[in-house]
Amino acid sequence: MFRTLSEKVWERHVVRRAAGEPDLLYVDLHLVHEVTSPQAFEGLRLAKRPVRRPDLTLATMDHNVPTNDEPAEDISARQIEAMARNAREFGIRCYPMGDPNQGIVHVISPQLGLTQPGMTIVCGDSHTSTHGALGALAWGIGTSEIEHVLATQTIAQTKPGTMAVTVDGLLPADCAAKDVILGIIARIGTSGGTGNVIEYRGAAIRALSMEGRLTICNMSIEAGARAGMVAADDVTFSWLEGRPYAPKGAQWERALDDWRSLATDADAPFDRDVAIDASTLRPYVTWGTNPAQSVTIDGAVPDPDALPADARESAHRALRYQELAPGTAVRDIAVDAVFIGSCTNARLEDLRLASEVVRGRKVRSGLRALVVPGSMRVKADAEREGLDRIFLDAGFEWRDAGCSMCLGMNPDVLRPGERCASTSNRNFEGRQGPGGRTHLVSPTVAAATAIAGHFALPADL
Amino acid sequence: MEPTRVVSGRALPLGRANVDTDQIIPSHWLKRIERTGYAPGLFEAWRKDPSFVLNDDRYRGANILIAGANFGGGSSREHAVWALQEAGFRAVIAPTIADIFKSNAIKNGLIPVELRADTVSRLLAAVEADAKTVITVDVVLRTVAAPGVKASFPLAGFLQTQLLEGLDEIALTLRHEADIAAFETKRAEWLPRVR
């Protein structure tokens, strides 16, 4: 029988299968952060249950931590302390604020080599799909499920469908991985992947770096998908080799053989198949309040009445919220803030791409621009290359690691009415702060926009 | 979790599509470490608009929420379900409901009801025309009934059982301890262990 990558990983993790019930799957790695876990630990405490496998559990603090020298406000400090206390009490390794390994949970696990092909990984965060870039099956769960995984190291799940998104052709030079995923979401919609695991395939995906693949898998949830995956290949292996938790010596060789066997069989059928020609993609900018509401940077804000009937009401509401008029050229939209960060686009490659654009230039006066590295390791690596100087000289703030302005839990928020070019993943109403207006872009476009003051490509500067 | 069999009552006609979890409960509410205290944050931003349907006295006391397609998309925050429940909602009806939200809802006894878009439109129209319209969601029969509307909704058998019996899923899984332990002896040796 021919099977897809996601089916192969699924099948090898089935602990128990019974007719009429969801499969009970083993979880190879459970990532935990301070925001969605406290109620789960409290549940364990009340039921007097231990954590079954502390050695397969890793915690960090990312969503609600300050990224500058300011102390956390009381309610946030209480949550941060709860994470430290729960980790201590249940014997879980935690990278707290100030630790050189601290950072956004989806950045630190791949960086440590903990995320490996063929693993099952869960976390109480919808962007857990990120880890699929290395060929792992990884998905976000709620707090009740966190408690279940902590107590049993398993999770009961209905088998998802399979969906192939095949991106062939050559990606234009001024496009990034972010533009590939924004293009995919524009095509299939915010619920285009619902119920499915998306496998990203094709020459344009193979040609991407590991960082680029992480960006793409990260936003699978923005298409409603349960998870996103890329089959492991030499890019994956050379990225993993030598990382702290990667297999070593003879184990490495055995692992490689195993990982190669996980690729989708040549004749395996997918429940749904979407083909995209990479050469038709352009840098994207979202205009609305969901990630499917985007146009290319060469385009203009659409007229809601010219959209398909089922998209009109949302588009009208979005334009009212965003205070944009139909027909406005994207390049004519001025921004108040630029945020380069998040689990989508705050890895070293992202910071390199952005720094190339701002090198020797100045952030437009009056504009607030932030770089928030995805992890303290990314920050240290970037500083070794001098990227911090480039950003600081241009007028960017250079912060410590955290989720920061992606979701506006810490003090890094937009003020009401402010407009932001953001490398993050969600442009929902108020996502970056009540009344704030978010436009999703790649790091390159974000950097050029910070210099120009309105949406721009490096070539426009 | 309390068993949930039938929910009958008035409905809030929210209508709009793509109601994401950041709208249901904005992120600053997630700083709390408790399971309760979220009702004041429900639709916090939209509620500032006096004409928002949740501020309409005619719908006060509604226990069923009717929304457009792709309800509950976005983050995995279970707080969205907690906030809805605390505000009195016991069922959500929409043409499509996002995967993680649906799973979180079931685990807390909030009934996720997916109906055809035209059926949802008819329910919305009925409730908008008469706020006193009573809708009944029956988990046993997997049906939704309102004057002039009768429809079935999909709900897998084990999810139905979960709602009907309000089971402690962790206790159920721990009965399979032997299976879990046996599985653990077969895992590849290179798989990482956090040090």
Side-chain angles (χ1 to χ4, degrees):
Chain A
M1 196 182 116
F2 302 116
R3 284 186 305 187
T4 66
L5 166 64
S6 68
E7 291 170 314
K8 290 184 190 184
V9 178
W10 183 280
E11 287 303 323
R12 61 161 61 181
H13 288 87
V14 176
V15 170
R16 182 176 179 273
R17 176 168 283 165
E21 289 181 35
D23 286 346
L24 189 65
L25 295 186
Y26 200 79
V27 173
D28 288 324
L29 179 65
H30 184 193
L31 301 167
V32 174
H33 64 84
E34 78 280 19
V35 170
T36 55
S37 68
Q39 297 86 354
F41 284 110
E42 185 59 20
L44 290 183
R45 222 176 263 121
L46 290 172
K48 300 192 166 45
R49 287 171 176 146
V51 171
R52 182 184 174 86
R53 293 297 299 265
D55 60 333
L56 304 183
T57 309
L58 177 70
T60 191
M61 302 168 183
D62 55 5
H63 282 63
N64 195 11
V65 298
T67 59
N68 54 12
D69 297 335
E70 306 283 323
E73 55 172 342
D74 288 351
I75 187 170
S76 300
R78 192 171 72 115
Q79 188 166 58
I80 290 162
E81 281 158 21
M83 181 72 260
R85 187 175 63 245
N86 287 328
R88 234 182 0 256
E89 188 179 326
F90 289 93
I92 294 166
R93 160 72 69 192
C94 176
Y95 294 130
M97 275 162 55
D99 190 286
N101 283 313
Q102 179 267 341
I104 304 177
V105 65
H106 310 308
V107 176
I108 64 174
S109 176
Q111 168 189 293
L112 288 163
L114 273 171
T115 299
Q116 296 174 15
M119 287 173 67
T120 46
I121 302 176
V122 299
C123 174
D125 186 277
S126 59
H127 292 110
T128 308
S129 57
T130 311
H131 305 267
L134 286 101
L137 181 58
W139 67 99
I141 60 178
T143 298
S144 296
E145 289 177 314
I146 294 173
E147 186 179 337
H148 188 278
V149 177
L150 288 170
T152 70
Q153 202 58 34
T154 64
I155 187 163
Q157 293 281 294
T158 316
K159 199 170 177 177
T162 58
M163 177 168 173
V165 173
T166 306
V167 191
D168 278 316
L170 195 63
L171 190 65
D174 57 0
C175 285
K178 183 65 161 283
D179 302 311
V180 176
I181 188 63
L182 284 174
I184 291 170
I185 296 167
R187 166 89 169 270
I188 68 175
T190 51
S191 51
T194 302
N196 289 324
V197 174
I198 297 177
E199 183 183 338
Y200 301 97
R201 302 154 60 84
I205 301 295
R206 294 272 147 247
L208 287 172
S209 66
M210 188 47 61
E211 283 88 344
R213 297 175 185 186
L214 287 159
T215 298
I216 288 184
C217 287
N218 171 273
M219 289 188 70
S220 302
I221 185 71
E222 264 52 73
R226 237 2 213 139
M229 299 177 87
V230 175
D233 60 10
D234 288 342
V235 172
T236 322
F237 306 144
S238 59
W239 196 86
L240 253 179
E241 193 170 12
R243 292 190 181 263
Y245 284 98
K248 310 268 184 305
Q251 297 275 18
W252 173 255
E253 296 303 324
R254 277 204 287 281
L256 279 183
D257 286 343
D258 181 65
W259 294 341
R260 288 196 178 101
S261 75
L262 292 171
T264 293
D265 296 327
D267 294 313
F270 285 87
D271 298 325
R272 193 175 166 207
D273 205 329
V274 173
I276 306 249
D277 177 359
S279 68
T280 65
L281 296 174
R282 297 289 304 133
Y284 282 85
V285 179
T286 62
W287 52 264
T289 53
N290 75 54
Q293 292 175 321
S294 64
V295 286
T296 71
I297 193 159
D298 315 303
V301 175
D303 177 358
D305 291 326
L307 296 175
D310 60 348
R312 269 174 223 161
E313 189 252 11
S314 283
H316 275 295
R317 184 186 311 285
L319 290 191
R320 269 198 304 278
Y321 182 83
Q322 297 280 56
E323 210 169 73
L324 286 172
T328 308
V330 170
R331 280 186 172 87
D332 289 344
I333 302 172
V335 304
D336 307 295
V338 169
F339 171 63
I340 298 178
S342 86
C343 56
T344 311
N345 275 132
R347 284 167 285 268
L348 188 58
E349 181 184 273
D350 301 313
L351 303 191
R352 283 180 183 151
L353 285 169
S355 71
E356 279 311 305
V357 179
V358 305
R359 187 193 296 272
R361 295 183 162 120
K362 292 286 180 202
V363 168
R364 179 85 169 186
S365 108
L367 192 148
R368 180 157 61 121
L370 241 68
V371 181
V372 184
S375 70
M376 291 310 281
R377 290 263 176 232
V378 166
K379 181 175 187 179
D381 290 346
E383 288 178 352
R384 237 185 326 275
E385 296 181 9
L387 305 189
D388 55 328
R389 286 311 331 160
I390 296 174
F391 285 117
L392 286 165
D393 289 347
F396 278 85
E397 293 179 53
W398 178 251
R399 296 294 193 83
D400 288 339
C403 300
S404 177
M405 205 188 264
C406 172
L407 86 163
M409 274 195 81
N410 80 353
D412 304 331
V413 290
L414 294 179
R415 289 179 284 268
E418 275 192 325
R419 190 181 297 288
C420 180
S422 177
T423 67
S424 57
N425 41 56
R426 291 194 175 131
N427 50 346
F428 297 159
E429 291 180 29
R431 171 78 177 180
Q432 297 188 289
R437 301 181 177 121
T438 302
H439 297 264
L440 305 177
V441 293
S442 72
T444 304
V445 171
T449 300
I451 307 301
H454 54 82
F455 290 104
L457 289 177
D460 301 331
L461 300 177
Chain B
M1 191 180 95
E2 294 297 309
T4 306
R5 298 179 71 81
V6 176
V7 170
S8 195
R10 290 180 297 115
L12 184 79
L14 178 58
R16 54 186 82 168
N18 289 311
V19 176
D20 60 72
T21 50
D22 279 77
Q23 306 318 313
I24 301 172
I25 185 89
S27 67
H28 71 92
W29 285 91
L30 276 53
K31 296 174 184 176
R32 298 177 58 77
I33 59 176
E34 294 82 10
R35 256 182 198 264
T36 53
Y38 299 99
L42 181 69
F43 296 119
E44 185 181 52
W46 289 349
R47 264 161 103 163
K48 290 184 180 139
D49 171 3
S51 70
F52 181 55
V53 67
L54 198 60
N55 295 324
D56 188 332
D57 282 342
R58 289 177 300 158
Y59 297 108
R60 186 160 293 170
N63 61 2
I64 296 170
L65 180 74
I66 311 178
N70 194 31
F71 183 84
S75 113
S76 64
R77 58 188 72 165
E78 202 159 310
H79 314 62
V81 171
W82 301 336
L84 283 164
Q85 286 186 303
E86 239 180 76
F89 293 101
R90 301 187 59 206
V92 173
I93 299 175
T96 51
I97 300 176
D99 285 340
I100 306 180
F101 182 90
K102 211 161 25 183
S103 160
N104 287 340
I106 297 268
K107 289 183 194 310
N108 288 277
L110 177 74
I111 314 169
V113 180
E114 289 176 311
L115 295 176
R116 287 167 42 128
D118 57 334
T119 309
V120 174
S121 299
R122 276 161 60 212
L123 289 172
L124 275 172
V127 171
E128 278 165 355
D130 179 5
K132 296 196 181 70
T133 302
V134 170
I135 297 179
T136 301
V137 177
D138 190 321
V139 177
V140 181
L141 301 173
R142 290 180 271 216
T143 55
V144 174
V149 182
K150 177 103 180 166
S152 299
F153 64 92
L155 184 68
F158 62 92
L159 297 177
Q160 184 188 33
T161 309
Q162 251 183 2
L163 284 172
L164 290 175
E165 299 184 15
L167 301 169
D168 174 356
E169 209 191 330
I170 297 177
L172 289 181
T173 298
L174 289 173
R175 284 189 206 158
H176 306 303
E177 164 61 31
D179 293 330
I180 301 171
F183 184 93
E184 285 175 324
T185 64
K186 297 180 301 187
R187 297 176 70 236
E189 17 177 357
W190 64 77
L191 285 166
R193 289 177 180 207
V194 179
R195 296 182 289 267

